[in-house]
Amino acid sequence: MLNLVLPIAIGAVVLAMALNLWRMAIGPSLPDRILGLDTLSINAIALVMLLDIVLGSVIYLEAALILAMMGFVGTVALCKFILSGDIIE
């Protein structure tokens, strides 16, 4: 059953990532583009986790944690830049 579901899930996540890239390119405003980037990082984490299930390696779990931390820090930095125009005060 898992052999059937995993390719479908990976395809759905890749499609979601393509739609996020579309939102980042077409987004009418800067907050829309930041939201697209944040959602893209979440989908990248999901893709890494699915690859971890397929390949069965523990290293991908650590890579997913690093992606989560970098995505959060990047989103906070971009939002702070929009609000104040400066990241480090």
Side-chain angles (χ1 to χ4, degrees):
M1 183 72 172
L2 198 58
N3 292 332
L4 176 68
V5 173
L6 282 174
I8 295 171
I10 290 173
V13 170
V14 168
L15 177 66
M17 290 176 80
L19 292 172
N20 289 328
L21 285 172
W22 178 260
R23 173 52 59 196
M24 285 176 54
I26 300 296
S29 65
L30 191 57
D32 289 330
R33 292 177 185 194
I34 291 174
L35 183 64
L37 179 66
D38 185 45
T39 311
L40 183 67
S41 69
I42 292 169
N43 286 330
I45 294 166
L47 185 63
V48 168
M49 295 303 293
L50 286 171
L51 289 176
D52 176 53
I53 293 170
V54 169
L55 300 175
S57 177
V58 181
I59 295 175
Y60 291 105
L61 295 174
E62 295 174 7
L65 286 173
I66 291 171
L67 278 173
M69 288 187 292
M70 294 301 291
F72 175 74
V73 169
T75 302
V76 169
L78 286 172
C79 290
K80 186 168 167 90
F81 180 73
I82 286 177
L83 291 176
S84 65
D86 190 21
I87 296 173
I88 300 172
E89 295 176 356

